[in-house]
Amino acid sequence: MQFVSTRGRAPALSFSDAVLAGLASDGGLYVPVSWPRISPDEIAGYANRPYAEVAFDIIRRFAGADIDEATLGDIVEGAYKGFRHASVAPLVEIAPGHFVLELFHGPTLAFKDVAMQFLARTMDHVLARRGTRATIVGATSGDTGSAAIEAFRGRETTDIFILHPRGRTSEVQRKQMTTVLDDNVHNIALEGDFDDCQDIVKAMFRNAPFRDGVKLSGVNSINWGRIVAQIVYYFTAAAALGSPHRQVIFSVPTGNFGDIFAGYCALRMGLPIRQLVIATNSNDILNRALRTGRYERAGVMPTISPSMDIQVSSNFERLLFEATGRDAGLVNQMMDSLGQSGGFTIPNQALKLIASQFDSASASEAVTARTMQGVFAASGYLLDPHTAVGVAAGSPLAGGREPLVTLATAHPAKFPDAVREATGIEPGLPAWLADLMHRPERMSVLPADAGEVEAFIKARTRVMEDRT
Ligand SMILES: *Cc1c(COP(=O)(O)O)cnc(C)c1O
């Protein structure tokens, strides 16, 4: 299968090349040239199948001849065997007809493990086959960095450098990154905030001599290799609840629109999804866009669901491409307008199409806390604040004809302060992570200066060794 850019000016790439590239050279995002169809019989057959087998069957339709089937089988087997739950992504009913899909049984307790464990193995395979290495860099406010570090640790083909704002992540999040002591893992505690981290990463990608010199690669949520792995659990969840004979509604706590776009992919592939609910916290750019047709950048407000505190949702561009009938010219116009004036208007027809498949709701801080408290009081189930946003947004649709599934994107112990404040309960880390806070840490403190960060990376990445 080939992948094309949403901006229409970059060459089409194979699966492997799209995964290594991340962003397209014209600034666009890669999408498959066509949507493979999964038949109703195949969907029915996914019920009660091991998760890795379903992952294999779905991802092979995109990876095609590019990654041979035996290798792809090994990759998905390896990616999911470290999950601490036998079914990888189990469903739990928290109210009649309302289920949460627990995506947090991976090594860092957030759903990003599901995609990152797949992506790291895939990149490792492709790089090894080509006899080359890459340098991975990323900025994190918490979840992405720890999931990436855990997935890339110890790999022969990659060195990973993750920038976090010094002293501004939670203790658990920092420890999950800095206690990984493998030689190829480099934690940079930047003297600045998250925006400084992100600006420096962007500057490094714009610096062509540096970028090409260290073979820079990104693993943020726009990488197709992450989206494709996230399609899988929509199928396993719906099949477990009676699809294809039954339609299902999904409510998805949303930041960069990656996770919910994977749900849209599942829909396009034939999964009978009645509706996808975009659940946002008070950073509600997507909710406003759906309601008004105006996509308008605003300042970021810090919330108790920090992994969804975003200014713009990068992956929304993929939906715009689809909803405009793959009109790259229109997508370019909208993205230019976003860059120049901070907003754009979604064409009427596209907005109508989006509204027929998506619903949206935003949960304030108070509603998020009340939801954690209410669900705990009614069922004894502890939600993390991100999942609580999803539960709050989806709840009006619960108890109807179709089952409602809210994606549980993090373990409550990852955000203990918010959970304790709302419920009075201190969520404990799972036993296998209980000693996390006492493990030794390693990190380097650097000033918020792109030149210094580049020098630090150049001195350490093995890509440079290969050239000397
Ligand atoms: C990243 C993240 C999200 C948002 O996912 P997107 O794909 O960016 O929409 C939600 N919840 C948690 C816990 C996350 O880490």
Side-chain angles (χ1 to χ4, degrees), residues 110-112 143 253-259 307-308 384 386 409-410 415:
F111 90 101
K112 290 189 170 69
D143 288 346
T254 302
N256 248 328
F257 208 76
D259 203 4
S307 301
M308 292 153 60
D384 102 287
H386 304 79
T409 52
F415 301 94

Side-chain angles (χ1 to χ4, degrees), residues 203-365:
M204 290 193 283
F205 274 98
R206 275 196 308 267
N207 179 349
F210 175 77
R211 182 187 67 213
D212 300 341
V214 303
K215 299 219 191 98
L216 216 53
S217 197
V219 294
N220 58 10
S221 75
I222 55 103
N223 192 306
W224 174 256
R226 283 181 60 180
I227 305 280
V228 74
Q230 298 177 106
I231 297 173
V232 177
Y233 45 72
Y234 287 91
F235 277 95
T236 59
L241 293 172
S243 277
H245 310 295
R246 215 164 161 209
Q247 291 198 315
V248 177
I249 302 169
F250 285 96
S251 178
V252 187
T254 302
N256 248 328
F257 208 76
D259 203 4
I260 194 163
F261 185 76
Y264 175 81
C265 299
L267 189 155
R268 294 295 301 269
M269 294 167 72
L271 190 66
I273 296 177
R274 174 88 183 74
Q275 210 156 33
L276 289 159
V277 182
I278 302 168
T280 66
N281 63 24
S282 12
N283 297 292
D284 63 345
I285 181 166
L286 287 164
N287 183 43
R288 281 184 286 118
L290 249 73
R291 270 154 222 284
T292 65
R294 264 309 279 179
Y295 187 93
E296 200 91 66
R297 189 194 283 272
V300 179
M301 242 179 298
T303 70
I304 53 173
S305 46
S307 301
M308 292 153 60
D309 291 348
I310 49 98
Q311 205 168 30
V312 294
S313 290
S314 323
N315 280 293
F316 192 58
E317 179 170 341
R318 286 186 160 113
L319 181 63
L320 292 171
F321 185 62
E322 295 299 315
T324 55
R326 300 202 155 194
D327 188 333
L330 266 179
V331 172
N332 275 296
Q333 277 174 26
M334 288 186 269
M335 292 304 137
D336 286 348
S337 165
L338 181 65
Q340 281 153 20
S341 62
F344 58 83
T345 301
I346 303 170
N348 236 324
Q349 237 181 328
L351 186 64
K352 262 201 204 136
L353 197 61
I354 292 172
S356 71
Q357 294 157 330
F358 290 85
D359 197 351
S360 73
S362 151
S364 67
E365 295 292 273

Side-chain angles (χ1 to χ4, degrees), residues 75-137:
I75 288 174
V76 293
E77 205 47 58
Y80 301 117
K81 84 167 181 269
F83 278 59
R84 260 66 178 196
H85 195 287
S87 51
V88 179
L91 285 163
V92 176
E93 191 166 16
I94 56 165
H98 191 170
F99 300 80
V100 296
L101 177 61
E102 294 186 342
L103 300 172
F104 52 69
H105 293 285
T108 71
L109 307 181
F111 90 101
K112 290 189 170 69
D113 289 325
V114 180
M116 211 63 93
Q117 288 289 324
F118 169 78
L119 178 63
R121 284 170 174 79
T122 302
M123 285 178 95
D124 197 38
H125 164 73
V126 173
L127 290 165
R129 195 175 61 190
R130 296 180 183 184
T132 181
R133 287 199 168 106
T135 303
I136 313 274
V137 299

